[in-house]
Amino acid sequence: MNRVRIVVRDWAHVLAQQVRAVLDRTPADAFASGPLTPVVLVPGIWEPWRYLLPLARRLHALGHPVHPLPRLGWNGRAIEESVALAREELVGLGLGPRRPVLVAHSKGGLIGKALLVDALADPEGPVGLVAVCTPFGGSKLSWRVFTRTPLGLFAPAGAAILALAAERVVDARIVSIASAWDEMIPNGSFLAGALNIRLPMPGHFRPVADAATARLVHEHVERLAAV
């Protein structure tokens, strides 16, 4: 497919989904029941939790209790603040021995990896992370002009990306799902030490709402929980 068409379709999708997310009033506990491994959703930058409703509904239909992190809001804070908020809310879920797997999109995967590092000392913390289109190595589109904006955190040589890259001990508990071509992460989502999977679908936004992606996430959530 022509890359211009990919970008147009991807951005048409994200704009429509953002409008739906703002107008939707689904409560945060709507998907909290289910017999399988609990899932905690971590959205990307400028994505309210309801942006991930298509994925939440599909994972719940497959049997997972799905828990969002509403206090992240539009998730535009610095990575340290985002991680602190997510950490507090994760503890507040009170999942106890039912250790969850984190399921994230884009920036959410960076937050998720930081939470996995926390969980090394927490016997009730998350057991793994399935991340869709996450810039583990940053994005070469994070130009210097963005340094003082929220997009600056994606700089490949920035402090946030380098600090997380140094935390290699949890990489084996991460599944990084990349699209066939990602206009927001031209350098890809590859994470050494993780299980890396490439989807046939291109784009940064559409894959996370796709039914095939949800089935793949489900498969690897159960695999990580069984390790």
Side-chain angles (χ1 to χ4, degrees):
M1 184 185 293
N2 179 283
R3 287 189 172 181
V4 173
R5 287 185 62 196
I6 291 171
V7 173
V8 170
R9 290 185 67 186
D10 209 39
W11 280 88
H13 165 84
V14 72
L15 291 173
Q17 185 58 32
Q18 287 285 35
V19 171
R20 285 192 290 268
V22 170
L23 297 178
D24 195 282
R25 290 295 178 265
T26 301
D29 61 355
F31 310 108
S33 63
L36 299 184
T37 304
V39 161
V40 175
L41 291 182
V42 193
I45 191 168
W46 297 324
E47 293 175 0
W49 80 263
R50 292 184 181 89
Y51 176 81
L52 294 179
L53 272 175
L55 179 60
R57 290 188 175 109
R58 289 188 171 106
L59 291 176
H60 186 250
L62 288 166
H64 296 279
V66 179
H67 305 276
L69 301 175
R71 287 184 59 199
L72 285 176
W74 283 80
N75 203 14
R77 298 175 181 84
I79 190 73
E80 298 84 0
E81 295 177 68
S82 299
V83 171
L85 271 176
R87 184 186 298 123
E88 291 174 10
E89 199 158 15
L90 188 58
V91 171
L93 288 174
L95 298 178
R98 293 195 73 190
R99 299 182 68 183
V101 171
L102 306 168
V103 173
H105 178 235
S106 194
K107 175 191 174 183
L110 303 179
I111 296 170
K113 181 173 179 179
L115 293 174
L116 278 190
V117 173
D118 286 351
L120 291 172
D122 182 1
E124 295 186 352
V127 295
L129 164 67
V130 182
V132 182
C133 297
T134 288
F136 286 109
S139 171
K140 65 182 183 181
L141 295 184
S142 185
W143 304 311
R144 186 166 295 182
V145 70
F146 296 132
T147 301
R148 296 183 181 276
T149 77
L151 295 174
L153 74 91
F154 301 116
I161 294 297
L162 293 180
L164 282 172
E167 298 284 1
R168 298 178 181 174
V169 68
V170 298
D171 289 350
R173 295 162 56 190
I174 296 174
V175 179
S176 180
I177 300 176
S179 68
W181 176 74
D182 190 324
E183 76 275 16
M184 303 302 291
I185 319 172
N187 42 313
S189 300
F190 183 83
L191 177 64
L195 175 60
N196 292 276
I197 299 171
R198 184 175 294 274
L199 298 170
M201 175 183 285
H204 184 71
F205 301 104
R206 290 175 59 232
V208 78
D210 185 66
T213 301
R215 290 192 294 271
L216 188 63
V217 169
H218 155 72
E219 173 188 335
H220 287 286
V221 164
E222 289 302 287
R223 183 185 63 79
L224 286 166
V227 172

